[in-house]
Amino acid sequence: DTPPEPRITANTVTLYLHNGGMVTGELVAQTPEEITLRFDYGDVGFHPSEVKELVRGRQVEGAEDVVLPKKAEESGWPYQRPVVFKLMNGSVIDATLRAVEGETLQLVQELDGGGLVELPLLRKDLHHVLFKPVESERSAEIRKQLFELFPKMTWDEEGIFTIMTDSPASAVKGYWRAIRDLATDWYLTYYPLLGTRTPDVQQFIVIFDDWGAFIEYAATDGLPGWAIGGYFSPDDDVLYLFNMMGEDFSDLLYEGFLGSSRRAVDAAVDQVRGQIDSRYEIFLEGLGSEIKQKVETAYGRLRQSYVDLTTSTLRHELTHGLLHNWGLQSILLSTTQGLDAERVKAKREFLQSQNVEQKRELLEALLAAEAKADVPQMQAANSWLAEGAAAYMEAEPVGEPSPEWLPTVQEAMRENQLLPPEFLHVFKMGSFPRMDDKARLFAYGQSWAFTHFLMTRHRPGFLQYLDRIARDEKAGETDDLQWLLDAVGVPLRDLDTAFREYVTSFPPSDPLWLTQKQIFLDLRESLRNF
């Protein structure tokens, strides 16, 4: 079939865009705020700041009506500014963010002849923020090392982000969506701190599809890969993740938790088939099918909990990476000393074995909150600040209570284990050293809660404090708790009282391990009704 002839009317125009693209359509409206073109599939608006030139008539040949901009690797970064805003309609605004006021972004664009144009943008119209790639010697060095380490992995780039992975393309799509969402949320949340700061390197992300390979690689960094979904290495300037969104992990999860249940149902049906009146065999088959459907439903809920864990881990660790890259946190990685090589080997063998209980043990370790007590964390000037700033970004939308850390801090409060701010502030470097496992876990939860409280009730002062911590060379060497009190303008005891009241304002929340267990309790209860 031959393609349809392009429609040409008296109002046909072509827009030459600043990003190098071209688009032809029927001009239906032109105002100082928007140029609207009509296509067969609907109307699309372009902001005048995106348009380099408007020409009457058709300049794009063919039925598509669009010439896409050249890729960054072909034309370099096609925008004037290092951060630009891609809209839901696919267009890009090349402007500077001045303020975020509720659900509106206040953008400002400098005109060639001087002067400024204010461009308000609704958050719902923003698809994601794009960051200019960082082509530096360090970026080239990291890229070369990763190619040597993982020669069989494919790679993909978008702006400042580079993904290397052995996962299928379908899984990578989900990660790109999560990365764009987090990067956008991070930029809009912490933009007052960025100012003239610029990133040092390209943001590299390595995603392992093979859990055993991830365990073995994490072991080289002194980390228990069987108990974490991913980690950011500031020494490498790389984020390493295990793909819990992929089919391989999905199959492992199914076998480890629910495969035996399906086999038991099949065995029960086979056992009685032929021993009962044939009139009832259809009923028996239907009953078995219904039971397996309930098992599948439970599996779907369980798999979603791991997808959520993957997204939460990516958002947390990538926040560490972005803050580190922009010079807002100078962090080190605290590793597990003397990680047992035999233990690593045993965990690898667990994955390769057919022992369901062994696989289940590994899967449960990933979801168990208690596992975090042994997980190495970032070191920075003030442990709570590094972990709190990253944990704050885990939830979607940003600012929602954390399903992981809220129940942890609530438990700490019930057991009267909340630390006074001055004691929480004592830990300048390290993962709350010399605290027992449970107390350390409570400290992580309190780090999230304290940051959530400050970002909700004292955001301008808290961001001012973060900026001073990043700029002042004496941070971590002095009693910078007073810097925080000065920034928020509240005396210490009043701040502590207000924080504790804030924690009690949230409704009780179940920990993740209990939510996971409830899946199986619900399944067991539903099966009892047969």
Side-chain angles (χ1 to χ4, degrees):
D1 294 336
T2 59
E5 288 295 323
R7 184 178 64 181
I8 302 177
T9 71
N11 290 330
T12 296
V13 299
T14 296
L15 303 183
Y16 290 81
L17 305 179
H18 283 294
N19 64 11
M22 294 167 56
V23 58
T24 286
E26 181 183 354
L27 180 66
V28 295
Q30 183 175 6
T31 70
E33 290 75 32
E34 190 171 63
I35 300 172
T36 304
L37 300 189
R38 178 162 295 161
F39 305 91
D40 291 337
Y41 50 82
D43 295 352
V44 177
F46 298 86
H47 196 277
S49 63
E50 302 174 70
V51 180
K52 184 177 181 181
E53 186 179 4
L54 185 152
V55 177
R56 298 286 172 180
R58 170 171 293 280
Q59 303 297 321
V60 178
E61 297 300 328
E64 296 299 326
D65 290 327
V66 172
V67 174
L68 295 176
K70 295 180 180 179
K71 293 182 178 180
E73 58 265 27
E74 296 173 352
S75 63
W77 182 246
Y79 311 108
Q80 295 181 358
R81 294 162 185 81
V83 180
V84 296
F85 303 85
K86 185 169 184 178
L87 308 186
M88 289 295 184
N89 64 14
S91 60
V92 174
I93 296 181
D94 189 350
T96 301
L97 178 64
R98 171 172 285 180
V100 178
E101 299 172 353
E103 292 300 310
T104 302
L105 282 61
Q106 297 296 342
L107 304 178
V108 175
Q109 190 173 58
E110 298 177 5
L111 301 178
D112 292 339
L116 299 174
V117 175
E118 294 187 358
L119 308 171
L121 173 66
L122 294 179
R123 179 67 175 86
K124 67 180 180 64
D125 294 332
L126 175 65
H127 190 271
H128 67 279
V129 174
L130 279 167
F131 300 87
K132 183 179 180 180
V134 180
E135 298 300 335
S136 61
E137 289 186 13
R138 175 62 177 151
S139 296
E141 177 187 346
I142 296 170
R143 184 178 279 106
K144 180 175 181 293
Q145 291 173 347
L146 292 178
F147 284 152
E148 291 174 353
L149 283 169
F150 311 113
K152 295 183 179 180
M153 287 189 172
T154 60
W155 60 280
D156 193 13
E157 293 189 319
E158 182 179 281
I160 197 174
F161 298 104
T162 297
I163 290 180
M164 294 191 67
T165 184
D166 56 356
S167 299
S170 58
V172 177
K173 269 188 179 180
Y175 280 102
W176 271 123
R177 189 180 307 113
I179 290 167
R180 293 181 189 120
D181 289 348
L182 180 277
T184 300
D185 289 339
W186 174 83
Y187 184 76
L188 299 182
T189 298
Y190 292 112
Y191 80 93
L193 303 178
L194 303 180
T196 58
R197 290 185 172 95
T198 57
D200 293 328
V201 297
Q202 187 77 354
Q203 206 82 48
F204 292 93
I205 302 167
V206 176
I207 303 173
F208 293 84
D209 206 53
D210 186 312
W211 196 6
F214 174 73
I215 287 175
E216 290 177 344
Y217 190 84
T220 66
D221 283 329
L223 304 177
W226 54 87
I228 56 177
Y231 64 98
F232 171 70
S233 170
D235 291 335
D236 298 345
D237 285 311
V238 176
L239 169 57
Y240 300 98
L241 287 172
F242 165 55
N243 178 22
M244 283 186 277
M245 295 183 183
E247 291 303 316
D248 286 351
F249 180 75
S250 179
D251 293 343
L252 187 153
L253 178 64
Y254 188 93
E255 181 62 29
F257 276 106
L258 300 173
S260 58
S261 298
R262 284 184 61 91
R263 286 193 295 272
V265 173
D266 289 338
V269 172
D270 290 341
Q271 186 175 1
V272 297
R273 184 184 287 117
Q275 300 181 22
I276 61 174
D277 191 308
S278 60
R279 291 175 297 174
Y280 298 106
E281 285 195 5
I282 295 177
F283 169 76
L284 181 64
E285 293 282 357
L287 183 62
S289 179
E290 190 172 347
I291 291 174
K292 285 191 284 187
Q293 181 58 49
K294 289 184 178 292
V295 172
E296 293 288 347
T297 300
Y299 163 73
R301 290 174 59 194
L302 185 66
R303 188 172 188 272
Q304 186 59 48
S305 70
Y306 281 95
V307 171
D308 293 343
L309 178 63
T310 300
T311 303
S312 173
T313 299
L314 184 147
R315 290 178 66 90
H316 183 107
E317 299 300 333
L318 187 52
T319 297
H320 276 314
L322 292 168
L323 291 172
H324 181 71
N325 200 2
W326 261 259
L328 289 164
Q329 288 183 355
S330 297
I331 55 181
L332 304 171
L333 186 63
S334 173
T335 60
T336 301
Q337 298 301 317
L339 192 64
D340 188 351
E342 289 301 316
R343 192 179 183 200
V344 174
K345 181 181 178 182
K347 296 293 183 181
R348 184 70 167 94
E349 291 174 351
F350 276 13
L351 286 173
Q352 295 173 336
S353 79
Q354 299 303 311
N355 187 307
V356 173
E357 289 303 319
Q358 290 176 335
K359 293 180 185 296
R360 183 175 297 176
E361 174 190 325
L362 285 173
L363 291 165
E364 288 175 342
L366 270 176
L367 270 189
E370 287 76 12
K372 282 192 173 289
D374 296 324
V375 176
Q377 299 290 336
M378 297 299 171
Q379 298 188 40
N382 295 325
S383 303
W384 74 268
L385 193 59
E387 289 307 318
Y392 179 75
M393 298 303 300
E394 290 180 22
E396 296 181 88
V398 175
E400 287 293 300
S402 167
E404 181 174 3
W405 294 118
L406 177 58
T408 301
V409 76
Q410 287 177 335
E411 182 183 357
M413 194 162 200
R414 285 195 303 271
E415 297 185 11
N416 199 29
Q417 292 295 311
L418 280 188
L419 301 174
E422 61 269 32
F423 188 60
L424 185 70
H425 210 78
V426 161
F427 300 96
K428 299 296 184 183
M429 298 293 285
S431 303
F432 303 103
R434 295 182 296 281
M435 297 180 75
D436 64 47
D437 289 347
K438 192 169 187 179
R440 191 184 310 151
L441 187 66
F442 286 163
Y444 291 142
Q446 186 171 344
S447 298
W448 164 79
F450 197 44
T451 301
H452 195 279
F453 163 70
L454 291 169
M455 288 292 281
T456 303
R457 299 284 179 83
H458 303 282
R459 182 184 293 255
F462 181 54
L463 293 177
Q464 178 185 334
Y465 169 69
L466 286 173
D467 183 65
R468 184 172 180 182
I469 286 287
R471 293 179 185 277
D472 201 311
E473 296 179 357
K474 294 181 179 179
E477 300 176 3
T478 184
D479 182 19
D480 47 71
L481 175 59
Q482 188 59 48
W483 297 357
L484 175 62
L485 299 178
D486 292 342
V488 300
V490 179
L492 179 60
R493 294 277 66 83
D494 292 346
L495 190 68
D496 187 29
T497 299
F499 167 63
R500 291 170 184 269
E501 291 175 351
Y502 185 75
V503 173
T504 61
S505 69
F506 292 99
S509 180
D510 291 331
L512 287 180
W513 65 265
L514 183 58
T515 302
Q516 179 197 26
K517 185 176 180 180
Q518 191 62 45
I519 295 173
F520 294 96
L521 294 177
D522 292 345
L523 175 62
R524 185 173 66 179
E525 184 63 26
S526 65
L527 294 179
R528 281 177 175 173
N529 294 327
F530 283 96

